[in-house]
Amino acid sequence: QPAWSQVVDGIRGGLGYPYRFFVLGRITMQVLKDIKASLMIKDKPGSNALLSSKSGPAAMLRAFLPKYTRAHVKARTAPEDYRKLLNTSLRVILSSILAEEPFAFEPYHEAIRGPDMDYYQWGNDFFRPMVKYRSSRVDGINHIEEIGHFLAHGENVMLIANHQTEADPQVLSILLGVEGHEGLAEQTIFVAGHKVTTDPLAVPFSKGRNLLSIYSKKYLDTFEGDELEAKNARNRATVAEVSRL
């Protein structure tokens, strides 16, 4: 986009910002009110205390929500699209926070794409408005065709990442999608440490990706005895899955 077009776009966006923030802010309050009144909250003993806690996942979610709303304001998300995505996102994340038992990831976890919920697509949609497209780029795009050639012939390709955030898988899908190559990210199998498979805030996003779950050596050093052996056994099972794949 030409620089002058970006300037005009920025001016227009700035003029409409207060109104969009008011509209999306009102939708946010409506969605929160509906969820608080829903059975998913009322039927859960202790849910109100957990969700009003000053620390932990619920507190992090409360602190994040205003920033997330602002991201949608800047992205100019249509109000009804925002309402639908926010409602789905809060219900999915709160269900994870309130779960009596954490979701059990297998050593090799395949992305959950339905029938009731496509976690892959939802995760991408959740992070999409937070990507700064104008200052983002994909280097090495010329290698995509070569990677596709290897995969078509039954080979594997290993991508070594400079890991930045827990949203890296979704960002990879989004940015490769801009270049017309989202399928590569969709097929990618990510190595996942225990945090993204146990943290209630991260679990829903991890459900939508193909994962090889492991316990890192640093984390293993905090355990002893039977628990240490159980986690080492899990790592061995993951290694066996790598050989199978």
mmCIF file of all heavy atoms in Angstrom, residues 27-28 31-32 34-35 40 61 65 68 72 80-96 116-126 204-205:
data_model
loop_
_atom_site.group_PDB
_atom_site.id
_atom_site.type_symbol
_atom_site.label_atom_id
_atom_site.label_comp_id
_atom_site.label_asym_id
_atom_site.label_seq_id
_atom_site.Cartn_x
_atom_site.Cartn_y
_atom_site.Cartn_z
ATOM 1 N N ILE A 27 -20.319 -4.027 23.490
ATOM 2 C CA ILE A 27 -20.509 -5.443 23.154
ATOM 3 C C ILE A 27 -19.778 -6.331 24.159
ATOM 4 O O ILE A 27 -20.313 -7.357 24.604
ATOM 5 C CB ILE A 27 -20.010 -5.728 21.722
ATOM 6 C CG1 ILE A 27 -20.955 -5.076 20.703
ATOM 7 C CG2 ILE A 27 -19.908 -7.234 21.472
ATOM 8 C CD1 ILE A 27 -20.457 -5.160 19.275
ATOM 9 N N THR A 28 -18.566 -5.915 24.532
ATOM 10 C CA THR A 28 -17.786 -6.689 25.503
ATOM 11 C C THR A 28 -18.547 -6.837 26.812
ATOM 12 O O THR A 28 -18.635 -7.937 27.382
ATOM 13 C CB THR A 28 -16.425 -6.010 25.773
ATOM 14 O OG1 THR A 28 -15.713 -5.890 24.541
ATOM 15 C CG2 THR A 28 -15.599 -6.817 26.764
ATOM 16 N N VAL A 31 -21.519 -9.277 26.345
ATOM 17 C CA VAL A 31 -21.097 -10.676 26.280
ATOM 18 C C VAL A 31 -20.708 -11.187 27.668
ATOM 19 O O VAL A 31 -21.087 -12.299 28.069
ATOM 20 C CB VAL A 31 -19.924 -10.839 25.287
ATOM 21 C CG1 VAL A 31 -19.332 -12.251 25.381
ATOM 22 C CG2 VAL A 31 -20.388 -10.568 23.858
ATOM 23 N N LEU A 32 -19.975 -10.362 28.424
ATOM 24 C CA LEU A 32 -19.570 -10.759 29.768
ATOM 25 C C LEU A 32 -20.797 -10.967 30.668
ATOM 26 O O LEU A 32 -20.854 -11.927 31.444
ATOM 27 C CB LEU A 32 -18.660 -9.692 30.380
ATOM 28 C CG LEU A 32 -17.229 -9.645 29.845
ATOM 29 C CD1 LEU A 32 -16.513 -8.410 30.369
ATOM 30 C CD2 LEU A 32 -16.457 -10.901 30.236
ATOM 31 N N ASP A 34 -23.816 -11.813 29.699
ATOM 32 C CA ASP A 34 -24.511 -13.039 29.278
ATOM 33 C C ASP A 34 -23.808 -14.283 29.788
ATOM 34 O O ASP A 34 -24.456 -15.246 30.229
ATOM 35 C CB ASP A 34 -24.611 -13.085 27.750
ATOM 36 C CG ASP A 34 -25.569 -12.040 27.192
ATOM 37 O OD1 ASP A 34 -26.371 -11.502 27.971
ATOM 38 O OD2 ASP A 34 -25.477 -11.752 25.983
ATOM 39 N N ILE A 35 -22.487 -14.271 29.747
ATOM 40 C CA ILE A 35 -21.726 -15.440 30.193
ATOM 41 C C ILE A 35 -21.851 -15.623 31.708
ATOM 42 O O ILE A 35 -22.004 -16.740 32.202
ATOM 43 C CB ILE A 35 -20.247 -15.326 29.767
ATOM 44 C CG1 ILE A 35 -20.134 -15.485 28.247
ATOM 45 C CG2 ILE A 35 -19.387 -16.366 30.481
ATOM 46 C CD1 ILE A 35 -18.744 -15.320 27.702
ATOM 47 N N MET A 40 -22.940 -22.270 32.450
ATOM 48 C CA MET A 40 -21.542 -22.699 32.578
ATOM 49 C C MET A 40 -20.885 -22.070 33.807
ATOM 50 O O MET A 40 -19.912 -22.614 34.348
ATOM 51 C CB MET A 40 -20.739 -22.360 31.313
ATOM 52 C CG MET A 40 -20.414 -20.888 31.136
ATOM 53 S SD MET A 40 -19.310 -20.576 29.727
ATOM 54 C CE MET A 40 -17.792 -21.324 30.295
ATOM 55 N N LEU A 61 -6.679 -13.103 32.301
ATOM 56 C CA LEU A 61 -7.682 -12.897 31.256
ATOM 57 C C LEU A 61 -8.353 -11.532 31.417
ATOM 58 O O LEU A 61 -8.560 -10.813 30.436
ATOM 59 C CB LEU A 61 -8.722 -14.012 31.302
ATOM 60 C CG LEU A 61 -9.855 -13.933 30.266
ATOM 61 C CD1 LEU A 61 -9.298 -13.986 28.847
ATOM 62 C CD2 LEU A 61 -10.857 -15.066 30.479
ATOM 63 N N LEU A 65 -8.233 -8.525 28.509
ATOM 64 C CA LEU A 65 -9.443 -8.247 27.736
ATOM 65 C C LEU A 65 -9.531 -6.816 27.195
ATOM 66 O O LEU A 65 -9.860 -6.632 26.012
ATOM 67 C CB LEU A 65 -10.679 -8.585 28.572
ATOM 68 C CG LEU A 65 -11.997 -8.742 27.813
ATOM 69 C CD1 LEU A 65 -11.845 -9.721 26.651
ATOM 70 C CD2 LEU A 65 -13.101 -9.218 28.751
ATOM 71 N N TYR A 68 -7.317 -6.559 24.266
ATOM 72 C CA TYR A 68 -7.839 -7.325 23.131
ATOM 73 C C TYR A 68 -8.940 -6.545 22.418
ATOM 74 O O TYR A 68 -9.002 -6.520 21.181
ATOM 75 C CB TYR A 68 -8.373 -8.671 23.626
ATOM 76 C CG TYR A 68 -8.756 -9.622 22.515
ATOM 77 C CD1 TYR A 68 -7.801 -10.073 21.616
ATOM 78 C CD2 TYR A 68 -10.062 -10.062 22.371
ATOM 79 C CE1 TYR A 68 -8.141 -10.943 20.596
ATOM 80 C CE2 TYR A 68 -10.407 -10.941 21.355
ATOM 81 C CZ TYR A 68 -9.436 -11.376 20.469
ATOM 82 O OH TYR A 68 -9.774 -12.233 19.453
ATOM 83 N N HIS A 72 -9.064 -5.078 18.366
ATOM 84 C CA HIS A 72 -10.162 -5.199 17.402
ATOM 85 C C HIS A 72 -10.637 -3.828 16.924
ATOM 86 O O HIS A 72 -11.063 -3.687 15.776
ATOM 87 C CB HIS A 72 -11.323 -5.977 18.020
ATOM 88 C CG HIS A 72 -11.157 -7.455 17.950
ATOM 89 N ND1 HIS A 72 -11.441 -8.197 16.813
ATOM 90 C CD2 HIS A 72 -10.708 -8.343 18.875
ATOM 91 C CE1 HIS A 72 -11.195 -9.466 17.050
ATOM 92 N NE2 HIS A 72 -10.751 -9.592 18.284
ATOM 93 N N GLU A 80 -20.605 -7.268 14.776
ATOM 94 C CA GLU A 80 -21.191 -8.597 14.941
ATOM 95 C C GLU A 80 -20.144 -9.704 14.853
ATOM 96 O O GLU A 80 -20.274 -10.750 15.507
ATOM 97 C CB GLU A 80 -22.314 -8.816 13.924
ATOM 98 C CG GLU A 80 -23.599 -8.067 14.274
ATOM 99 C CD GLU A 80 -24.025 -8.293 15.718
ATOM 100 O OE1 GLU A 80 -24.144 -9.467 16.132
ATOM 101 O OE2 GLU A 80 -24.233 -7.302 16.444
ATOM 102 N N ASP A 81 -19.112 -9.496 14.032
ATOM 103 C CA ASP A 81 -18.010 -10.462 13.965
ATOM 104 C C ASP A 81 -17.280 -10.495 15.306
ATOM 105 O O ASP A 81 -16.888 -11.566 15.791
ATOM 106 C CB ASP A 81 -17.035 -10.094 12.847
ATOM 107 C CG ASP A 81 -17.636 -10.296 11.467
ATOM 108 O OD1 ASP A 81 -18.629 -11.041 11.348
ATOM 109 O OD2 ASP A 81 -17.117 -9.698 10.497
ATOM 110 N N TYR A 82 -17.095 -9.302 15.894
ATOM 111 C CA TYR A 82 -16.428 -9.218 17.198
ATOM 112 C C TYR A 82 -17.253 -9.908 18.265
ATOM 113 O O TYR A 82 -16.721 -10.662 19.085
ATOM 114 C CB TYR A 82 -16.202 -7.752 17.568
ATOM 115 C CG TYR A 82 -15.648 -7.555 18.964
ATOM 116 C CD1 TYR A 82 -14.340 -7.903 19.268
ATOM 117 C CD2 TYR A 82 -16.452 -7.027 19.984
ATOM 118 C CE1 TYR A 82 -13.830 -7.727 20.551
ATOM 119 C CE2 TYR A 82 -15.951 -6.849 21.256
ATOM 120 C CZ TYR A 82 -14.640 -7.203 21.536
ATOM 121 O OH TYR A 82 -14.145 -7.042 22.804
ATOM 122 N N ARG A 83 -18.561 -9.672 18.257
ATOM 123 C CA ARG A 83 -19.437 -10.290 19.253
ATOM 124 C C ARG A 83 -19.353 -11.815 19.172
ATOM 125 O O ARG A 83 -19.212 -12.494 20.200
ATOM 126 C CB ARG A 83 -20.887 -9.843 19.030
ATOM 127 C CG ARG A 83 -21.869 -10.403 20.073
ATOM 128 C CD ARG A 83 -23.314 -10.142 19.654
ATOM 129 N NE ARG A 83 -23.585 -8.739 19.513
ATOM 130 C CZ ARG A 83 -23.926 -7.936 20.523
ATOM 131 N NH1 ARG A 83 -24.047 -8.435 21.738
ATOM 132 N NH2 ARG A 83 -24.170 -6.653 20.306
ATOM 133 N N LYS A 84 -19.427 -12.343 17.973
ATOM 134 C CA LYS A 84 -19.403 -13.793 17.794
ATOM 135 C C LYS A 84 -18.073 -14.383 18.246
ATOM 136 O O LYS A 84 -18.029 -15.394 18.963
ATOM 137 C CB LYS A 84 -19.647 -14.134 16.326
ATOM 138 C CG LYS A 84 -19.682 -15.622 16.034
ATOM 139 C CD LYS A 84 -19.973 -15.886 14.559
ATOM 140 C CE LYS A 84 -19.974 -17.386 14.258
ATOM 141 N NZ LYS A 84 -20.237 -17.653 12.824
ATOM 142 N N LEU A 85 -16.963 -13.746 17.832
ATOM 143 C CA LEU A 85 -15.633 -14.260 18.195
ATOM 144 C C LEU A 85 -15.389 -14.137 19.689
ATOM 145 O O LEU A 85 -14.865 -15.070 20.315
ATOM 146 C CB LEU A 85 -14.550 -13.505 17.420
ATOM 147 C CG LEU A 85 -13.097 -13.906 17.715
ATOM 148 C CD1 LEU A 85 -12.873 -15.383 17.413
ATOM 149 C CD2 LEU A 85 -12.131 -13.046 16.912
ATOM 150 N N LEU A 86 -15.769 -12.999 20.282
ATOM 151 C CA LEU A 86 -15.552 -12.812 21.717
ATOM 152 C C LEU A 86 -16.369 -13.814 22.525
ATOM 153 O O LEU A 86 -15.865 -14.398 23.492
ATOM 154 C CB LEU A 86 -15.933 -11.386 22.120
ATOM 155 C CG LEU A 86 -15.706 -11.046 23.600
ATOM 156 C CD1 LEU A 86 -14.217 -11.077 23.927
ATOM 157 C CD2 LEU A 86 -16.294 -9.683 23.946
ATOM 158 N N ASN A 87 -17.610 -14.031 22.145
ATOM 159 C CA ASN A 87 -18.463 -14.979 22.852
ATOM 160 C C ASN A 87 -17.867 -16.384 22.809
ATOM 161 O O ASN A 87 -17.771 -17.070 23.841
ATOM 162 C CB ASN A 87 -19.863 -14.978 22.243
ATOM 163 C CG ASN A 87 -20.822 -15.882 22.985
ATOM 164 O OD1 ASN A 87 -21.105 -15.693 24.165
ATOM 165 N ND2 ASN A 87 -21.313 -16.908 22.301
ATOM 166 N N THR A 88 -17.442 -16.804 21.616
ATOM 167 C CA THR A 88 -16.827 -18.131 21.482
ATOM 168 C C THR A 88 -15.538 -18.211 22.294
ATOM 169 O O THR A 88 -15.302 -19.183 23.025
ATOM 170 C CB THR A 88 -16.526 -18.428 20.004
ATOM 171 O OG1 THR A 88 -17.742 -18.438 19.260
ATOM 172 C CG2 THR A 88 -15.835 -19.787 19.851
ATOM 173 N N SER A 89 -14.701 -17.184 22.180
ATOM 174 C CA SER A 89 -13.391 -17.191 22.832
ATOM 175 C C SER A 89 -13.522 -17.250 24.349
ATOM 176 O O SER A 89 -12.841 -18.048 25.015
ATOM 177 C CB SER A 89 -12.586 -15.950 22.431
ATOM 178 O OG SER A 89 -12.362 -15.925 21.033
ATOM 179 N N LEU A 90 -14.384 -16.427 24.903
ATOM 180 C CA LEU A 90 -14.534 -16.415 26.356
ATOM 181 C C LEU A 90 -15.106 -17.728 26.873
ATOM 182 O O LEU A 90 -14.673 -18.241 27.917
ATOM 183 C CB LEU A 90 -15.420 -15.248 26.782
ATOM 184 C CG LEU A 90 -14.788 -13.858 26.659
ATOM 185 C CD1 LEU A 90 -15.769 -12.774 27.089
ATOM 186 C CD2 LEU A 90 -13.512 -13.755 27.489
ATOM 187 N N ARG A 91 -16.053 -18.288 26.155
ATOM 188 C CA ARG A 91 -16.636 -19.563 26.588
ATOM 189 C C ARG A 91 -15.605 -20.688 26.527
ATOM 190 O O ARG A 91 -15.525 -21.532 27.425
ATOM 191 C CB ARG A 91 -17.871 -19.892 25.753
ATOM 192 C CG ARG A 91 -19.061 -18.991 26.055
ATOM 193 C CD ARG A 91 -20.270 -19.298 25.200
ATOM 194 N NE ARG A 91 -21.344 -18.351 25.470
ATOM 195 C CZ ARG A 91 -22.218 -18.444 26.461
ATOM 196 N NH1 ARG A 91 -22.155 -19.485 27.287
ATOM 197 N NH2 ARG A 91 -23.155 -17.530 26.651
ATOM 198 N N VAL A 92 -14.803 -20.701 25.474
ATOM 199 C CA VAL A 92 -13.774 -21.738 25.334
ATOM 200 C C VAL A 92 -12.710 -21.594 26.419
ATOM 201 O O VAL A 92 -12.326 -22.577 27.069
ATOM 202 C CB VAL A 92 -13.125 -21.650 23.935
ATOM 203 C CG1 VAL A 92 -11.849 -22.499 23.875
ATOM 204 C CG2 VAL A 92 -14.098 -22.118 22.865
ATOM 205 N N ILE A 93 -12.230 -20.376 26.633
ATOM 206 C CA ILE A 93 -11.162 -20.153 27.610
ATOM 207 C C ILE A 93 -11.669 -20.361 29.042
ATOM 208 O O ILE A 93 -10.989 -20.985 29.869
ATOM 209 C CB ILE A 93 -10.565 -18.748 27.440
ATOM 210 C CG1 ILE A 93 -9.852 -18.653 26.084
ATOM 211 C CG2 ILE A 93 -9.587 -18.432 28.560
ATOM 212 C CD1 ILE A 93 -9.396 -17.256 25.701
ATOM 213 N N LEU A 94 -12.869 -19.868 29.339
ATOM 214 C CA LEU A 94 -13.411 -20.056 30.683
ATOM 215 C C LEU A 94 -13.701 -21.527 30.972
ATOM 216 O O LEU A 94 -13.522 -21.992 32.103
ATOM 217 C CB LEU A 94 -14.685 -19.223 30.855
ATOM 218 C CG LEU A 94 -14.472 -17.713 30.951
ATOM 219 C CD1 LEU A 94 -15.806 -16.985 30.999
ATOM 220 C CD2 LEU A 94 -13.628 -17.353 32.176
ATOM 221 N N SER A 95 -14.126 -22.265 29.967
ATOM 222 C CA SER A 95 -14.339 -23.709 30.147
ATOM 223 C C SER A 95 -13.034 -24.395 30.520
ATOM 224 O O SER A 95 -13.014 -25.318 31.342
ATOM 225 C CB SER A 95 -14.908 -24.327 28.866
ATOM 226 O OG SER A 95 -16.210 -23.872 28.623
ATOM 227 N N SER A 96 -11.928 -23.923 29.933
ATOM 228 C CA SER A 96 -10.620 -24.486 30.254
ATOM 229 C C SER A 96 -10.210 -24.127 31.677
ATOM 230 O O SER A 96 -9.693 -24.966 32.426
ATOM 231 C CB SER A 96 -9.572 -23.966 29.258
ATOM 232 O OG SER A 96 -8.286 -24.472 29.553
ATOM 233 N N ASP A 116 -17.712 -30.133 16.676
ATOM 234 C CA ASP A 116 -18.377 -28.996 17.317
ATOM 235 C C ASP A 116 -17.533 -27.724 17.293
ATOM 236 O O ASP A 116 -18.072 -26.621 17.340
ATOM 237 C CB ASP A 116 -18.727 -29.340 18.772
ATOM 238 C CG ASP A 116 -19.666 -30.537 18.866
ATOM 239 O OD1 ASP A 116 -20.561 -30.638 18.010
ATOM 240 O OD2 ASP A 116 -19.486 -31.364 19.775
ATOM 241 N N MET A 117 -16.217 -27.889 17.245
ATOM 242 C CA MET A 117 -15.336 -26.730 17.363
ATOM 243 C C MET A 117 -14.068 -26.962 16.554
ATOM 244 O O MET A 117 -13.397 -27.985 16.712
ATOM 245 C CB MET A 117 -14.978 -26.517 18.846
ATOM 246 C CG MET A 117 -14.003 -25.408 19.107
ATOM 247 S SD MET A 117 -14.813 -23.802 19.022
ATOM 248 C CE MET A 117 -13.429 -22.729 19.450
ATOM 249 N N ASP A 118 -13.747 -26.013 15.689
ATOM 250 C CA ASP A 118 -12.495 -26.057 14.945
ATOM 251 C C ASP A 118 -11.492 -25.184 15.692
ATOM 252 O O ASP A 118 -11.449 -23.969 15.511
ATOM 253 C CB ASP A 118 -12.712 -25.531 13.521
ATOM 254 C CG ASP A 118 -11.467 -25.687 12.642
ATOM 255 O OD1 ASP A 118 -10.357 -25.799 13.207
ATOM 256 O OD2 ASP A 118 -11.605 -25.676 11.409
ATOM 257 N N TYR A 119 -10.700 -25.818 16.554
ATOM 258 C CA TYR A 119 -9.765 -25.056 17.387
ATOM 259 C C TYR A 119 -8.649 -24.412 16.569
ATOM 260 O O TYR A 119 -8.108 -23.376 16.971
ATOM 261 C CB TYR A 119 -9.165 -25.964 18.473
ATOM 262 C CG TYR A 119 -10.113 -26.247 19.612
ATOM 263 C CD1 TYR A 119 -10.980 -27.333 19.585
ATOM 264 C CD2 TYR A 119 -10.140 -25.414 20.723
ATOM 265 C CE1 TYR A 119 -11.854 -27.586 20.635
ATOM 266 C CE2 TYR A 119 -11.008 -25.657 21.780
ATOM 267 C CZ TYR A 119 -11.857 -26.740 21.726
ATOM 268 O OH TYR A 119 -12.736 -26.976 22.760
ATOM 269 N N TYR A 120 -8.308 -25.017 15.456
ATOM 270 C CA TYR A 120 -7.272 -24.436 14.591
ATOM 271 C C TYR A 120 -7.740 -23.089 14.046
ATOM 272 O O TYR A 120 -7.053 -22.073 14.181
ATOM 273 C CB TYR A 120 -6.942 -25.393 13.443
ATOM 274 C CG TYR A 120 -6.055 -24.767 12.378
ATOM 275 C CD1 TYR A 120 -4.675 -24.718 12.537
ATOM 276 C CD2 TYR A 120 -6.605 -24.209 11.229
ATOM 277 C CE1 TYR A 120 -3.869 -24.120 11.578
ATOM 278 C CE2 TYR A 120 -5.807 -23.611 10.273
ATOM 279 C CZ TYR A 120 -4.436 -23.569 10.444
ATOM 280 O OH TYR A 120 -3.648 -22.968 9.502
ATOM 281 N N GLN A 121 -8.924 -23.080 13.436
ATOM 282 C CA GLN A 121 -9.433 -21.850 12.839
ATOM 283 C C GLN A 121 -9.725 -20.797 13.899
ATOM 284 O O GLN A 121 -9.435 -19.613 13.715
ATOM 285 C CB GLN A 121 -10.707 -22.144 12.030
ATOM 286 C CG GLN A 121 -11.177 -20.969 11.187
ATOM 287 C CD GLN A 121 -10.132 -20.543 10.179
ATOM 288 O OE1 GLN A 121 -9.638 -21.355 9.402
ATOM 289 N NE2 GLN A 121 -9.766 -19.263 10.201
ATOM 290 N N TRP A 122 -10.285 -21.234 15.016
ATOM 291 C CA TRP A 122 -10.573 -20.289 16.099
ATOM 292 C C TRP A 122 -9.300 -19.625 16.604
ATOM 293 O O TRP A 122 -9.266 -18.399 16.810
ATOM 294 C CB TRP A 122 -11.289 -20.998 17.250
ATOM 295 C CG TRP A 122 -11.278 -20.158 18.496
ATOM 296 C CD1 TRP A 122 -12.017 -19.032 18.736
ATOM 297 C CD2 TRP A 122 -10.444 -20.347 19.642
ATOM 298 N NE1 TRP A 122 -11.689 -18.510 19.969
ATOM 299 C CE2 TRP A 122 -10.735 -19.299 20.541
ATOM 300 C CE3 TRP A 122 -9.486 -21.306 20.001
ATOM 301 C CZ2 TRP A 122 -10.098 -19.184 21.786
ATOM 302 C CZ3 TRP A 122 -8.865 -21.196 21.226
ATOM 303 C CH2 TRP A 122 -9.164 -20.145 22.101
ATOM 304 N N GLY A 123 -8.245 -20.400 16.818
ATOM 305 C CA GLY A 123 -6.986 -19.834 17.308
ATOM 306 C C GLY A 123 -6.429 -18.783 16.362
ATOM 307 O O GLY A 123 -5.956 -17.722 16.792
ATOM 308 N N ASN A 124 -6.494 -19.065 15.061
ATOM 309 C CA ASN A 124 -6.028 -18.082 14.077
ATOM 310 C C ASN A 124 -6.883 -16.822 14.127
ATOM 311 O O ASN A 124 -6.363 -15.699 14.095
ATOM 312 C CB ASN A 124 -6.073 -18.687 12.670
ATOM 313 C CG ASN A 124 -5.083 -19.813 12.484
ATOM 314 O OD1 ASN A 124 -4.162 -19.981 13.271
ATOM 315 N ND2 ASN A 124 -5.266 -20.591 11.442
ATOM 316 N N ASP A 125 -8.195 -17.010 14.184
ATOM 317 C CA ASP A 125 -9.107 -15.859 14.220
ATOM 318 C C ASP A 125 -8.893 -15.024 15.476
ATOM 319 O O ASP A 125 -8.999 -13.788 15.441
ATOM 320 C CB ASP A 125 -10.561 -16.327 14.153
ATOM 321 C CG ASP A 125 -10.927 -16.928 12.803
ATOM 322 O OD1 ASP A 125 -10.204 -16.673 11.822
ATOM 323 O OD2 ASP A 125 -11.940 -17.657 12.741
ATOM 324 N N PHE A 126 -8.584 -15.690 16.579
ATOM 325 C CA PHE A 126 -8.378 -14.985 17.845
ATOM 326 C C PHE A 126 -7.195 -14.022 17.754
ATOM 327 O O PHE A 126 -7.271 -12.875 18.204
ATOM 328 C CB PHE A 126 -8.151 -16.001 18.964
ATOM 329 C CG PHE A 126 -7.981 -15.381 20.325
ATOM 330 C CD1 PHE A 126 -9.078 -15.167 21.146
ATOM 331 C CD2 PHE A 126 -6.727 -15.006 20.788
ATOM 332 C CE1 PHE A 126 -8.928 -14.587 22.400
ATOM 333 C CE2 PHE A 126 -6.563 -14.420 22.039
ATOM 334 C CZ PHE A 126 -7.664 -14.209 22.848
ATOM 335 N N PRO A 204 -6.560 -24.281 25.186
ATOM 336 C CA PRO A 204 -7.470 -24.233 24.036
ATOM 337 C C PRO A 204 -6.756 -23.974 22.709
ATOM 338 O O PRO A 204 -7.142 -24.536 21.673
ATOM 339 C CB PRO A 204 -8.415 -23.077 24.385
ATOM 340 C CG PRO A 204 -8.378 -22.995 25.874
ATOM 341 C CD PRO A 204 -6.963 -23.326 26.231
ATOM 342 N N PHE A 205 -5.723 -23.138 22.739
ATOM 343 C CA PHE A 205 -4.983 -22.846 21.509
ATOM 344 C C PHE A 205 -4.139 -24.048 21.088
ATOM 345 O O PHE A 205 -4.002 -24.344 19.901
ATOM 346 C CB PHE A 205 -4.096 -21.614 21.705
ATOM 347 C CG PHE A 205 -4.872 -20.383 22.072
ATOM 348 C CD1 PHE A 205 -4.958 -19.960 23.379
ATOM 349 C CD2 PHE A 205 -5.550 -19.658 21.097
ATOM 350 C CE1 PHE A 205 -5.689 -18.835 23.727
ATOM 351 C CE2 PHE A 205 -6.290 -18.530 21.422
ATOM 352 C CZ PHE A 205 -6.366 -18.121 22.741
#
